Amino acid sequence: DEEKTAAKVSVGFIFLTLSLMICTAQQMSENPDGLFAKVCRLAIAITGFICNMIMLPFRKIFGLGNYGYAHHLITTQEFRDPYMQGGRPTRMEFL
């Protein structure tokens, strides 16, 4: 008896979820700058931020804190004149 009830509830939630997904896709395509689209983008950004915060200790422990690459700062000593800004040489970042 409980399994049948759980199955009906599960099917109902699946139907509701798929309906809301279709509604979301339609709203995003019809009005990409609307409130609904902004809320969706905000929810995606918050979810990504939370996942990054959860994974941060693991990235630090396993040495993947910079996603496998680092920025190397180099100065432009050979070509100083064209790159001077206010009397100071600029620095360029390379991956």
Side-chain angles (χ1 to χ4, degrees):
D1 187 43
E2 290 181 15
E3 291 181 9
K4 290 181 182 181
T5 305
K8 288 179 184 178
V9 171
S10 298
V11 169
F13 276 126
I14 290 172
F15 179 73
L16 179 67
T17 302
L18 290 175
S19 300
L20 290 175
M21 284 181 179
I22 292 170
C23 177
T24 301
Q26 190 268 338
Q27 286 292 320
M28 293 285 283
S29 67
E30 292 293 322
N31 192 6
D33 293 327
L35 179 66
F36 195 79
K38 289 178 184 179
V39 170
C40 287
R41 284 192 288 272
L42 179 64
I44 290 169
I46 289 171
T47 303
F49 175 76
I50 290 171
C51 288
N52 281 335
M53 290 299 106
I54 291 171
M55 297 305 290
L56 182 66
F58 299 106
R59 287 197 309 258
K60 294 298 180 185
I61 289 171
F62 296 114
L64 301 173
N66 56 7
Y67 297 100
Y69 65 90
H71 293 280
H72 300 285
L73 296 175
I74 62 168
T75 58
T76 56
Q77 294 179 2
E78 292 182 51
F79 304 104
R80 280 184 102 103
D81 293 337
Y83 297 102
M84 297 290 277
Q85 291 179 349
R88 295 174 40 202
T90 62
R91 297 183 138 203
M92 297 172 33
E93 284 190 5
F94 287 94
L95 298 177

